[in-house]
Amino acid sequence: MNDIEKWLTAVGLAQLAQKFARAQIDLDSLRLLNDKDLRELRIPMGPRRKLVAAIAAMEQPGDAKAQRSPPERRQVTILFCDMVGSTEYAARLDPEDFSDLTQSYLTRCGGLARSHGGFVANYAGDALQVLFGYPVAEENDGERALDLAFDLLLAVPRIEVPDQTPLNIRIGIASGLVVMGDVEGAPPGLPTVAFGPVPNLAQRLQMLAPPQTILVDQSTYASARRAYEFQDLGATAVKGFAQPIHIWRASKALPSSDRFSKARITRLIGRRSEIEQVLALWRLITKQGVARWLLICGEPGIGKSRLLFEVAKRIQAKKTLIAQCSAAYSNSALFPFLQLLRQEAGITNALPPADAARRLETALVTSGVPLSVSFPIFARLLFLEQMDYPPSELTSSEQQSIVSQVFVDWLGHMTLQGPLLLAIEDAQWIDPSSSNLLDGLFKARDFPALVLITSRNDVVRFGDRRPAIDCLKLGRLSREETVALIESATQGIKLASAVTQSLLRKAEGVPLYVEELARSAAELTAFGAPANASDTPIEVPNNLQSALLARLDKLGQGKTIAQVAAVIGREFDMRMLSRVANVSVDALKLQLERLAEVGLISPQPFADWPRYAFTHVLLQEAACGALLREKRRLLHARVAQTIEETEPSTAIEHPEVLAQHLYEAGQFERAADQWLHAGLKLGQTWAKVEAANMFAKGLACLQKLPPSSDRDRRELRLELERGDVLYATYGYVTREGSAAYRNVMRLSEALGDAEAAIRALDGLFGTAFNSARFNDAEWASNQLVDIGRNRQNIRALVLGMQFLGMCAFSRGRFDEARPYLEQALAYQAAAEEIGSDFPSMSMIYLSWTLQLLGEGKEALALFQQAEAQARQQTDYRLAACLGNGCILMALRHDATMLEPMINELIPLARKNGFQLWLNMATFFQGWMLVVTRQDASGLDQMRHICDNMGEQEIDKTCYLGVLAETYLRLGRIAEASDTVQQALALAKKTGERYYFAELLRLRDELKLRDTS
């Protein structure tokens, strides 16, 4: 028994439950009913008086404020309907006649709105505003608004006008985000107002519409395009809106069987085995001539309806019928089957009563039940006016049996032409009478039909019993399948890689979510978002938002608990939720069990306290997004406080969790500190890209604070750490890393922090040098030397000389490089004070210089000394030493010493996420395969590294030269020649010339080979 049935029983009017269910009256709309509404429901005077009194007693004057709906963010669809020519009617009609006409018009429109589940939020003269999606959202709010709109176009012209002129209307419909709230001083019964641009847009669309026309915006079109046919009117300038509005004219409803075929249907991804399982059942039916039943279950959006569509295409049944259940009509007796009967018999509201009656008779004569028995029953169920047959005098149970028999006979008659496909869609919403009807159909199995039932539940009940039928459960798509579906949904529009990754995370393999989010992202990209923008937002379309909110709105008090849980995160435990929601654990248990039953959350194993997770991230976001900003802020602050007070280990182990809640709570300074801790913690692992992202989040927090020296100091620290971690990850210039170091230079000057400037110049040199931008690298080197000399800072002086020596070597100026490096090494005693990669890097570059100057013995000894010192330093310094040692061994053609260095470097670089040094080790590993084992696969390995070095340019001429020499070793002359030319062109572009002599030698040797 639902709430409205309980209320009717309490006031002694339980017999009206079915009437209220058909009109879709719930407790919220009940409070708005007046005497005219009850008359329209054809309720006799006695019960009507009781209802008016009972409704008035529902709200005592002292409770009005307490019962006022709290404001909340909602995705709604708003219908605005206005009478055409009302001014002319007022001018030519008697005022009393015009008043009666307006009242009749508004009463008729309001009654229809409520019968479609709409919320009449406002009357303004002869206009009315109807909301769908409030106070309870449904998954098809846009479709329900259009259902009402077309019924209004039929109903309003039938209203009697004193001068017999036809009454016409205009309708505008718009969808989007609003804030719903009750306003003090509003008219009684209509205190609710939608704030935002959507109501204004709906009104503007109505004003643009010709008489008897429905205009909708892009969001409404997107949510209803599978149910209605539209005419594209293009983008139009609309008063009050800065950007043109894309407008569509609603033409007509589509048959349910056309909803996929007329939409922008994507290519079918996966589901091959599932389709084959259904087709196998169909083949059995065609052979055996008896009915087969199958339940297809899965979570919302998983593709149950699409599977039906694909099956129907393949089996080509003589007749395919779809009985569509609906949440809005889950208490309307026989709703899906009566709608199916209307559709197949061609009975519409526009038909004259006599024509509708004849069509019903044609359908009913297929049954063995006499028309005198069946027709009165079905005429009443379909609300048809008829005078040919007296009302049925059978009892309710007898009438129910007749209805069941008629449907069995009707469906059986259809199978005379061949096997039938009957689909019962969304059976989780089936009404009790239809459930009983399925029991009758199940027992009558002697006709060839495939009955497919789709449901979110993995069990289905026929009346009071649970039948033994097979169940096909659909799972989520794999990552590969999801990527393929994204490509199909975007229809050739290329999404940025970061956008695709974000989409994969949000959709989590649910096909509907994948399609809708992909289309939204594609539209943003098509309308100007740069294709390579990593921060292109993925907007959740209105129809998807409505579907998510619909599941939340049906939770009652559980919705509040779900919203608090959503603020905590995708996962939450009962203890945390209890403290934040200020609800006892015992009281929470029942609420959480209910949320789990409806599939909103699922319990998580292996936790000290009962732990749950939202079954989909979009459900969590919808629950959290419905809260107003201030409410969300307060809840995030409470979560942060609870973490610090009761779960200090979480703050230590996962500071990023605390940081996120502090940010959402508006505590930006504390949030920045926690992001710094999180980045430092991750920076000690291989996850350096993630660490850089956390430092960036900390910087974003600081931008929310007013300028101050304290903010600058925090920003300086975060920028330094971000630049260093990006340098450690990539080794070459990145836009983010360079910007970080340059910002440090600015801040260090403002704060007078010389050490920060030195650290930033160290990073700027490294990123520029590894990108072979030698002018920038030498600028940073000279800046360090100047700081060293002007401020007597030995660290800056020595690093500057080391860097100048490295630049000179790379440019092929060995006689200039040697003194710089030797002068730097004269300060080895101060190595601890100097830090960075000194003295190991000075030793390595000096060893290369000596090797190329012909002093091989001294070069090897110096490198071994550098390696011994690097082993006393960080993993990064050791990786850099081993990586650069690989080049020395290649210059020496010493594969024996190279092999153990590579074997040590590869796991070290992988463990720490040092991509630069991993590339180097992988390249020389390939070289070693060719040199020591004559294994040609090593060439592919070397070429892959050369082709995928990103912005790393340093040493690339050496790599290409070694690769060319290796091609030559295996007799692959053409490839060797092409590679040498590539290296020479790169040397000319970057100015890297330390390997230039060897490249010229290789070029000339190849020319000689070619000549001979």
Side-chain angles (χ1 to χ4, degrees):
M1 184 178 293
N2 60 32
D3 291 338
I4 202 71
E5 289 173 329
K6 292 177 182 176
W7 184 83
L8 287 168
T9 302
V11 298
L13 296 171
Q15 72 273 17
L16 298 178
Q18 282 287 342
K19 192 178 290 286
F20 274 54
R22 281 195 297 271
Q24 298 182 49
I25 297 170
D26 56 18
L27 285 178
D28 292 301
S29 56
L30 177 66
R31 292 185 173 89
L32 304 179
L33 295 182
N34 55 33
D35 188 69
K36 287 186 178 180
D37 298 326
L38 298 175
R39 285 175 185 271
E40 188 172 336
L41 289 172
R42 298 182 181 179
I43 296 174
M45 180 179 293
R48 194 165 71 242
R49 294 294 185 188
K50 285 186 180 181
L51 284 170
V52 171
I55 291 169
M58 289 178 70
E59 291 193 29
Q60 299 300 325
D63 297 336
K65 187 173 182 179
Q67 293 186 359
R68 181 170 287 119
S69 299
E72 62 177 332
R73 298 163 68 90
R74 305 283 305 193
Q75 288 286 342
V76 299
T77 296
I78 298 181
L79 178 149
F80 201 95
C81 175
D82 196 14
M83 184 193 301
V84 176
S86 60
T87 303
E88 289 79 1
Y89 281 118
R92 67 174 180 263
L93 294 180
D94 181 86
E96 188 174 344
D97 289 338
F98 179 67
S99 173
D100 290 342
L101 174 63
T102 303
Q103 289 296 322
S104 297
Y105 158 74
L106 292 176
T107 299
R108 182 64 177 140
C109 291
L112 276 174
R114 283 186 282 274
S115 72
H116 282 275
F119 180 87
V120 181
N122 191 19
Y123 291 106
D126 51 39
L128 77 158
Q129 182 188 99
V130 184
L131 307 184
F132 291 87
Y134 182 85
V136 176
E138 296 291 352
E139 298 186 12
N140 58 343
D141 286 328
E143 294 179 18
R144 292 193 300 136
L146 279 158
D147 290 344
L148 169 61
F150 277 98
D151 277 359
L152 289 172
L153 292 185
L154 289 173
V156 170
R158 295 178 182 174
I159 296 174
E160 186 176 342
V161 180
D163 62 4
Q164 305 304 311
T165 57
L167 193 60
N168 290 329
I169 53 174
R170 298 185 182 92
I171 296 176
I173 304 176
S175 302
L177 179 66
V178 300
V179 171
M180 297 300 306
D182 287 352
V183 177
E184 293 188 19
L190 294 172
T192 306
V193 176
F195 296 94
V198 180
N200 296 330
L201 178 56
Q203 184 176 17
R204 293 295 181 190
L205 291 173
Q206 172 271 135
M207 294 171 68
L208 293 172
Q212 292 297 103
T213 300
I214 305 163
L215 298 185
V216 307
D217 70 338
Q218 177 68 25
S219 294
T220 307
Y221 160 77
S223 68
R225 65 178 184 271
R226 289 185 174 175
Y228 280 89
E229 191 173 285
F230 294 88
Q231 178 186 353
D232 189 352
L233 301 183
T236 303
V238 176
K239 184 178 179 181
F241 292 84
Q243 299 298 324
I245 302 297
H246 199 141
I247 300 176
W248 299 78
R249 176 175 179 168
S251 302
K252 63 180 180 179
L254 293 171
S256 58
S257 58
D258 288 349
R259 293 193 174 191
F260 276 105
S261 56
K262 293 292 180 70
R264 288 188 300 164
I265 189 168
T266 56
R267 180 168 61 89
L268 178 67
I269 305 297
R271 306 301 189 212
R272 303 297 179 189
S273 62
E274 292 90 340
I275 290 174
E276 180 53 37
Q277 186 174 336
V278 181
L279 294 181
L281 281 178
W282 180 256
R283 288 191 289 269
L284 281 176
I285 292 165
T286 57
K287 288 180 181 179
Q288 299 173 356
V290 295
R292 295 279 178 170
W293 293 64
L294 179 67
L295 171 64
I296 301 172
C297 68
E299 63 184 299
I302 202 65
K304 302 181 289 293
S305 297
R306 177 63 185 272
L307 186 68
L308 282 182
F309 172 74
E310 296 295 335
V311 167
K313 277 200 313 183
R314 286 162 172 75
I315 65 176
Q316 297 181 341
K318 290 292 184 181
K319 191 71 176 176
T320 297
L321 302 176
I322 299 176
Q324 178 68 58
C325 304
S326 168
Y329 298 98
S330 58
N331 288 306
S332 299
L334 298 170
F335 173 78
F337 289 98
L338 292 176
Q339 291 299 104
L340 179 61
L341 179 61
R342 279 180 176 273
Q343 177 180 311
E344 292 300 313
I347 300 171
T348 67
N349 292 332
L351 276 180
D355 291 345
R358 280 195 297 273
R359 294 188 181 188
L360 177 59
E361 285 180 335
T362 302
L364 295 182
V365 295
T366 60
S367 170
V369 179
L371 275 177
S372 59
V373 176
S374 62
F375 190 89
I377 298 172
F378 277 88
R380 182 181 61 81
L381 290 171
L382 295 172
F383 301 101
L384 298 184
E385 297 179 13
Q386 65 90 21
M387 303 294 292
D388 297 333
Y389 299 92
S392 177
E393 296 181 357
L394 298 176
T395 65
S396 295
S397 60
E398 290 172 335
Q399 290 188 32
Q400 188 173 17
S401 298
I402 293 296
V403 168
S404 178
Q405 185 61 51
V406 168
F407 271 112
V408 170
D409 293 344
W410 181 58
L411 295 172
H413 178 76
M414 291 186 185
T415 64
L416 296 177
Q417 303 300 317
L420 169 73
L421 174 60
L422 172 62
I424 316 297
E425 277 266 50
D426 291 317
Q428 71 274 1
W429 292 321
I430 196 166
D431 61 272
S433 297
S434 294
S435 179
N436 288 327
L437 175 56
L438 285 183
D439 191 34
L441 290 174
F442 186 71
K443 292 173 182 176
R445 302 173 69 106
D446 57 346
F447 57 90
L450 175 58
V451 184
L452 299 179
I453 303 174
T454 68
S455 177
R456 296 176 183 177
N457 308 322
D458 57 6
V459 295
V460 63
R461 303 192 72 85
F462 294 172
D464 294 329
R465 70 188 192 88
R466 181 174 165 181
I469 62 175
D470 292 334
C471 177
L472 174 60
K473 187 168 187 177
L474 301 185
R476 295 183 180 183
L477 300 180
S478 67
R479 182 181 180 86
E480 293 74 20
E481 290 171 334
T482 303
V483 170
L485 182 54
I486 291 171
E487 292 174 355
S488 176
T490 53
Q491 297 185 322
I493 296 174
K494 182 69 174 176
L495 301 182
S497 174
V499 174
T500 299
Q501 295 304 314
S502 176
L503 200 155
L504 288 169
R505 288 193 299 272
K506 273 184 175 287
E508 296 183 351
V510 177
L512 174 65
Y513 299 170
V514 175
E515 288 187 32
E516 297 297 343
L517 292 174
R519 284 177 177 141
S520 176
E523 287 171 4
L524 282 170
T525 301
F527 290 117
N532 60 347
S534 61
D535 57 350
T536 302
I538 297 179
E539 296 183 356
V540 180
N542 189 62
N543 59 321
L544 189 49
Q545 286 276 21
S546 295
L548 297 167
L549 284 172
R551 301 181 67 184
L552 293 168
D553 286 339
K554 293 176 175 61
L555 297 174
Q557 292 182 343
K559 178 181 176 181
T560 301
I561 296 300
Q563 289 180 310
V564 176
V567 170
I568 296 173
R570 173 76 181 274
E571 290 192 15
F572 58 93
D573 66 48
M574 189 182 293
R575 179 175 57 183
M576 169 71 75
L577 181 57
S578 173
R579 289 178 177 272
V580 176
N582 196 25
V583 177
S584 71
V585 169
D586 290 337
L588 270 183
K589 286 180 180 177
L590 290 176
Q591 299 272 26
L592 294 178
E593 286 174 5
R594 171 62 180 150
L595 297 183
E597 284 174 7
V598 298
L600 196 72
I601 63 175
S602 60
Q604 302 297 293
F606 314 119
D608 295 335
W609 271 81
R611 190 169 184 83
Y612 297 85
F614 284 89
T615 53
H616 201 284
V617 66
L618 291 179
L619 284 169
Q620 179 217 348
E621 292 179 358
C624 188
L627 294 166
L628 293 184
R629 285 194 301 266
E630 182 61 16
K631 178 66 173 177
R632 283 203 307 272
R633 188 189 68 77
L634 293 173
L635 284 172
H636 278 293
R638 199 179 302 169
V639 173
Q641 182 182 357
T642 304
I643 289 174
E644 292 178 306
E645 291 178 354
T646 66
E647 298 183 9
S649 61
T650 298
I652 295 171
E653 295 170 10
H654 296 284
E656 68 275 11
V657 174
L658 180 58
Q660 186 62 45
H661 287 295
L662 289 170
Y663 174 80
E664 297 292 346
Q667 300 178 31
F668 301 120
E669 188 174 291
R670 294 186 62 211
D673 290 344
Q674 291 300 322
W675 284 123
L676 175 63
H677 294 327
L680 291 172
K681 185 178 178 66
L682 268 185
Q684 297 170 6
T685 71
W686 55 267
K688 291 182 169 49
V689 174
E690 292 87 342
N693 291 338
M694 292 192 177
F695 293 135
K697 286 179 180 289
L699 290 165
C701 290
L702 295 179
Q703 296 307 308
K704 304 283 187 181
L705 299 174
S708 69
S709 58
D710 187 56
R711 188 188 84 165
D712 287 349
R713 276 189 287 273
R714 282 185 162 85
E715 185 177 358
L716 177 64
R717 176 74 189 280
L718 282 162
E719 288 283 33
L720 271 175
E721 299 296 346
R722 185 165 74 112
D724 285 355
V725 83
L726 287 169
Y727 178 34
T729 302
Y730 299 108
Y732 52 79
V733 161
T734 61
R735 180 167 53 89
E736 296 86 354
S738 179
Y741 284 132
R742 292 189 183 280
N743 198 29
V744 169
M745 292 293 296
R746 177 185 64 80
L747 291 166
S748 63
E749 184 175 349
L751 294 169
D753 189 338
E755 288 304 314
I758 294 169
R759 188 171 162 186
L761 287 166
D762 186 352
L764 281 171
F765 166 80
T767 54
F769 182 74
N770 286 339
S771 298
R773 290 167 48 185
F774 298 121
N775 288 336
D776 290 344
E778 286 177 345
W779 174 85
S781 306
N782 285 316
Q783 290 290 312
L784 284 166
V785 171
D786 288 346
I787 291 174
R789 288 172 177 164
N790 295 333
R791 302 190 185 185
Q792 288 77 49
N793 189 305
I794 190 173
R795 179 167 183 257
L797 178 64
V798 173
L799 288 178
M801 290 190 296
Q802 172 181 290
F803 295 162
L804 287 170
M806 293 165 65
C807 289
F809 170 83
S810 295
R811 290 179 182 268
R813 303 169 186 166
F814 304 135
D815 290 338
E816 182 183 329
R818 185 171 187 169
Y820 274 129
L821 295 168
E822 288 176 341
Q823 287 175 46
L825 286 171
Y827 291 89
Q828 281 193 66
E832 275 193 35
E833 181 183 350
I834 296 166
S836 188
D837 51 8
F838 180 81
S840 60
M841 199 57 69
S842 290
M843 292 178 176
I844 287 167
Y845 269 82
L846 184 55
S847 73
W848 289 0
T849 304
L850 295 174
Q851 180 69 38
L852 293 177
L853 288 173
E855 301 178 31
K857 183 177 179 181
E858 292 81 358
L860 180 59
L862 193 58
F863 170 74
Q864 289 171 335
Q865 184 183 351
E867 181 183 356
Q869 291 195 8
R871 292 189 181 281
Q872 307 302 314
Q873 297 177 322
T874 64
D875 281 356
Y876 184 80
R877 299 305 169 205
L878 177 58
C881 182
L882 292 173
N884 287 312
C886 290
I887 290 184
L888 177 63
M889 298 312 150
L891 295 175
R892 296 171 61 86
H893 295 275
D894 191 341
T896 303
M897 291 192 68
L898 178 62
E899 184 169 9
M901 294 170 63
I902 289 172
N903 292 340
E904 182 179 3
L905 178 56
I906 287 177
L908 179 67
R910 279 182 178 152
K911 180 183 77 172
N912 289 281
F914 302 145
Q915 193 61 48
L916 172 67
W917 308 118
L918 181 60
N919 287 344
M920 188 175 283
T922 304
F923 176 86
F924 284 107
Q925 184 186 53
W927 178 72
M928 195 174 62
L929 285 173
V930 177
V931 171
T932 62
R933 302 175 194 172
Q934 299 298 300
D935 186 345
S937 67
L939 282 170
D940 295 334
Q941 192 168 316
M942 296 169 73
R943 170 51 72 182
H944 177 76
I945 293 298
C946 287
D947 291 344
N948 293 277
M949 294 175 68
E951 296 180 52
Q952 180 193 337
E953 300 281 12
I954 194 67
D955 301 324
K956 195 169 183 178
T957 58
C958 176
Y959 286 0
L960 290 168
V962 172
L963 176 59
E965 189 273 336
T966 311
Y967 277 133
L968 181 59
R969 181 187 292 264
L970 294 184
R972 294 164 65 166
I973 305 302
E975 290 160 298
S977 181
D978 289 345
T979 304
V980 166
Q981 292 304 319
Q982 182 185 354
L984 288 169
L986 183 63
K988 182 178 180 180
K989 170 189 168 187
T990 63
E992 183 178 75
R993 301 179 68 86
Y994 75 87
Y995 209 71
F996 197 67
E998 179 65 11
L999 292 175
L1000 294 176
R1001 184 193 68 76
L1002 284 168
R1003 182 194 65 184
D1004 292 343
E1005 182 176 345
L1006 286 164
K1007 284 182 179 179
L1008 288 173
R1009 293 274 189 104
D1010 189 51
T1011 303
S1012 64

